[in-house]
Amino acid sequence: MTLSLIMMLSIPMPAYGATIAELKQQQQETQQQLDETNSNISSLTEQRKGITEEIEEIDDEIVEVLASVSLLEDEVEDIKDKISAKEDEIRIKTAELEEAEATETAQYEAMKTRIRFMYEKGDYTYVQLLIEAKSPADLVNKTEYIEKLYEYDRKMLIAYQEAKQAVADAKAALEEEQAELKEQQEELEVNLLELEAEKAELDSLMEEKKAEAANYDTAISKAKQEAAAYKAKIKQQNNEIKKLEAEEAAKKAAQQAAASGSSSSKKSGSAYNVDSASVISSSSGSASGKEIASYACRFVGNPYVYGGTSLTNGCDCSGFTYSVYKDCGYSIPRAGTAQRSAGRGVSYAEAQPGDIICYPGHVAIYIGNGQIVHASTPSTGIKYGSATYKEMITIRRIVD
């Protein structure tokens, strides 16, 4: 069962035999339901608009997070490059430090060798050097030479130590900078993980809002279908009301015609007596057309039988027109669709008693003053009605 059918079944249909007042009450209730549904549509649409705005805001936040993620990724890559560069510098400084340490060691070993040589010779060599001095001045010179030798060794050792310390300090500074860069990298990577978690949360929220929006779309669509069904129901109720009003008007016209005309209403197989009802006699047209219309009115109240042609025992709409004209001495097609081409066509303004009015799926005999007589439905049989109760296809004149 389709949704539209379920919705139509949920709307109360007019009760069979309902009065005009009851139908109008039902129509008023249907209109109230339509108004409530339209109000619901407006409310749902407004809420859907709010969801749309939330989705747009979340989308903006996702764009911002993605931009931040991209920026952090660039910063992480930049820091990785810097760390790699620091590693290269540290390797260079490590090599320089090793070289400085080797130089210091060599200088220190040379100094130790000279000192060891001098002391291995004992005080004699040192004293001998002083004794062999040829003069006080030579003694002073020799003493100064020894002192300078020691001073040179000491300065060179200090210089190498300072150079080694400078390289060590530079290496330590590089290692510290590298450690700081690694800390920055770790911090950025933590921030990156937080942003990725935030984006995942926003993505999840976005999916929830989209699902919520889809639910609103479904609810709005369903409400619009309900509104369309209520509108169709109101139109149907209007048609029912107009139909009943037309039938009441036709009954009143028929009663007035019966009161002012002959009281004879007996029917015979093929012979007939013309009743000059006021609704027919007051209309313009040929005498034969009025006679046909008057003859047709004699069978009001008789049953409707699908496929039948008996004016007394039952007939359908085209069987009714066919038999009336046959009894009056005129031959027309049996089928209603074929009767649309019988005789000649005239406008509704030119319609006269006896003309056949063709509707979609139905035919009737015009009796004048906007009224018809026809085999209507199985539930109502042959009866009077309003000529304009539904849209006309054509009006055919059989008798001029």
Side-chain angles (χ1 to χ4, degrees):
M1 185 179 291
T2 63
L3 176 62
S4 60
L5 180 57
I6 293 173
M7 290 165 51
M8 286 299 293
L9 290 174
S10 67
I11 301 173
M13 304 294 289
Y16 175 74
T19 65
I20 293 176
E22 290 172 340
L23 283 174
K24 286 185 176 179
Q25 177 62 31
Q26 292 177 10
Q27 185 185 51
Q28 184 177 359
E29 293 173 357
T30 305
Q31 182 63 52
Q32 182 177 356
Q33 291 172 321
L34 174 60
D35 293 341
E36 291 175 356
T37 302
N38 285 333
S39 176
N40 186 36
I41 291 173
S42 298
S43 176
L44 289 172
T45 302
E46 188 65 25
Q47 294 176 52
R48 175 65 172 82
K49 180 181 178 182
I51 294 296
T52 300
E53 292 174 353
E54 290 184 33
I55 289 175
E56 291 175 352
E57 290 176 0
I58 294 172
D59 189 60
D60 290 340
E61 290 182 26
I62 289 175
V63 170
E64 291 179 3
V65 169
L66 287 174
S68 299
V69 167
S70 178
L71 182 61
L72 280 178
E73 288 176 342
D74 291 342
E75 290 183 11
V76 169
E77 290 302 317
D78 182 58
I79 285 180
K80 286 181 178 179
D81 292 340
K82 289 180 178 179
I83 290 174
S84 178
K86 290 297 178 184
E87 288 175 351
D88 292 339
E89 293 180 29
I90 289 172
R91 279 194 293 272
I92 292 172
K93 289 299 179 182
T94 299
E96 291 177 358
L97 181 59
E98 291 173 353
E99 183 179 354
E101 288 175 345
T103 302
E104 178 197 17
T105 300
Q107 174 63 22
Y108 180 64
E109 291 298 327
M111 181 178 176
K112 285 195 301 181
T113 299
R114 281 193 291 271
I115 292 172
R116 188 184 308 112
F117 175 77
M118 293 176 66
Y119 279 97
E120 284 177 353
K121 296 295 183 178
D123 291 341
Y124 172 79
T125 303
Y126 182 71
V127 173
Q128 187 69 28
L129 181 65
L130 295 178
I131 292 175
E132 290 177 355
K134 296 179 179 181
S135 63
D138 186 28
L139 179 61
V140 171
N141 288 336
K142 291 182 182 296
T143 302
E144 287 178 356
Y145 172 77
I146 293 171
E147 290 177 354
K148 286 180 179 179
L149 182 61
Y150 277 108
E151 183 65 21
Y152 171 79
D153 284 335
R154 187 181 68 82
K155 286 182 178 179
M156 289 300 294
L157 182 60
I158 291 173
Y160 289 134
Q161 288 175 342
E162 289 177 350
K164 183 188 74 172
Q165 187 62 45
V167 173
D169 291 344
K171 178 184 176 184
L174 289 172
E175 290 174 343
E176 184 177 353
E177 291 175 6
Q178 184 186 46
E180 290 176 357
L181 287 173
K182 287 183 177 180
E183 288 180 3
Q184 292 178 22
Q185 179 184 349
E186 291 175 359
E187 183 178 353
L188 288 174
E189 288 175 345
V190 169
N191 292 337
L192 191 58
L193 290 174
E194 291 176 352
L195 284 174
E196 290 174 348
E198 182 179 354
K199 182 181 179 300
E201 184 178 349
L202 288 172
D203 288 339
S204 176
L205 182 59
M206 174 69 84
E207 291 302 317
E208 291 179 6
K209 291 301 178 181
K210 286 183 177 179
E212 191 174 348
N215 290 337
Y216 273 109
D217 290 339
T218 300
I220 291 170
S221 176
K222 180 180 178 181
K224 286 182 177 179
Q225 291 179 16
E226 291 176 353
Y230 285 130
K231 288 179 182 178
K233 187 59 188 174
I234 290 172
K235 183 177 180 181
Q236 179 185 353
Q237 290 167 334
N238 275 332
N239 291 337
E240 291 289 334
I241 291 170
K242 288 180 181 179
K243 181 179 178 181
L244 287 179
E245 290 175 342
E247 288 177 356
E248 286 190 1
K251 286 179 182 179
K252 289 180 181 179
Q255 290 171 356
Q256 292 173 357
S260 61
S262 172
S263 61
S264 175
S265 60
K266 294 181 180 180
K267 303 156 183 88
S268 58
S270 61
Y272 67 92
N273 295 318
V274 176
D275 293 327
S276 71
S278 62
V279 67
I280 299 174
S281 61
S282 64
S283 302
S284 61
S286 68
S288 297
K290 291 182 178 181
E291 290 172 353
I292 292 171
S294 180
Y295 176 68
C297 291
R298 292 187 177 190
F299 304 99
V300 170
N302 287 347
Y304 177 103
V305 175
Y306 182 77
T309 57
S310 173
L311 297 173
T312 55
N313 296 325
C315 58
D316 57 19
C317 63
S318 59
F320 175 68
T321 54
Y322 168 79
S323 295
V324 167
Y325 270 90
K326 179 182 178 183
D327 287 353
C328 293
Y330 296 91
S331 177
I332 64 173
R334 167 65 179 85
T337 53
Q339 289 178 16
R340 296 176 188 176
S341 303
R344 65 184 180 89
V346 296
S347 66
Y348 179 62
E350 301 170 326
Q352 297 176 2
D355 290 345
I356 296 176
I357 298 182
C358 301
Y359 305 93
H362 193 65
V363 291
I365 295 176
Y366 186 65
I367 63 174
N369 295 335
Q371 302 299 310
I372 57 173
V373 62
H374 60 142
S376 178
T377 65
S379 61
T380 58
I382 300 172
K383 67 171 190 174
Y384 298 109
S386 170
T388 58
Y389 86 105
K390 61 195 282 188
E391 184 180 358
M392 304 174 190
I393 294 177
T394 182
I395 300 174
R396 311 306 298 182
R397 180 160 298 161
I398 309 301
V399 181
D400 284 317

